[in-house]
Amino acid sequence: MRIHEVMSTGVVTGTQIETVRDVVVKMLSRHCGAIPIVSADQELLGIVTLRDVMLPMYPNYGDYIHDAVHSRDFLEMEQNYPEVLGKKAEEIMVRYPLTVSPETPILEAASYMGLKNFRRLPVADHGTLVGMVSIGDIHRGLFFARGGCEVDA
């Protein structure tokens, strides 16, 4: 089974110049954890995940080493959230994300996800975004393709 058989199309995307707030609104309204960032011609430029939005609020390793007590002030970190939301998507996106092609075998994609601890991957055809695939898409493809929903009488 190939990725094109299980991937989602019609993916909601963002642009580099959109604010992180705009990207997060798209994620929350679509109940998804990642938004691909594309150019006007759908070239995949990067991806923003909810994790990418949260990371700028956490102390970096150097801050933690120098002041382990104050670098863990989570209420203060939370106050930085509006600043993060005001940034441009290009400031926090992961550039050149791992992708799969529509012809990639689904278990190959699942192995990449497992190795990297990713729940979803962009699907690109020669650099152009054509869809997204999640680990759930892969499981549904395997389950239904194998007759997993049949009930014995």
Side-chain angles (χ1 to χ4, degrees), residues 4-147:
H4 68 85
E5 298 174 69
V6 298
M7 71 182 195
S8 298
T9 58
V11 176
V12 173
T13 61
T15 66
Q16 291 177 288
I17 60 171
E18 281 185 271
T19 65
V20 172
R21 177 183 303 279
D22 292 336
V23 173
V24 169
V25 166
K26 288 178 183 183
M27 279 190 242
L28 296 176
S29 67
R30 290 292 295 250
H31 303 285
C32 66
I35 296 289
I37 305 300
V38 297
S39 67
D41 60 353
Q42 295 299 300
E43 177 189 359
L44 181 63
L45 304 173
I47 193 165
V48 174
T49 67
L50 286 174
R51 182 177 182 274
D52 299 325
V53 175
M54 298 298 290
L55 280 177
M57 292 189 295
Y58 301 142
N60 65 41
Y61 189 70
D63 293 341
Y64 181 73
I65 293 298
H66 292 299
D67 189 357
V69 173
H70 294 99
S71 66
R72 300 182 110 201
D73 185 344
F74 294 103
L75 291 175
E76 183 179 323
M77 286 181 220
E78 187 178 330
Q79 292 173 2
N80 294 331
Y81 196 54
E83 179 184 330
V84 173
L85 292 176
K87 292 182 177 198
K88 299 294 181 202
E90 68 185 346
E91 295 179 66
I92 69 163
M93 73 182 188
V94 173
R95 295 176 188 276
Y96 314 110
L98 176 63
T99 64
V100 291
S101 82
E103 293 302 318
T104 301
I106 63 173
L107 289 181
E108 182 179 344
S111 72
Y112 297 148
M113 291 175 177
L115 288 171
K116 296 288 192 175
N117 199 25
F118 291 165
R119 298 205 40 82
R120 63 199 57 80
L121 291 173
V123 181
D125 188 10
H126 298 94
T128 300
L129 181 71
V130 294
M132 291 284 285
V133 66
S134 71
I135 197 70
D137 295 331
I138 291 170
H139 284 284
R140 275 187 295 280
L142 290 171
F143 180 77
F144 288 115
R146 304 295 179 250

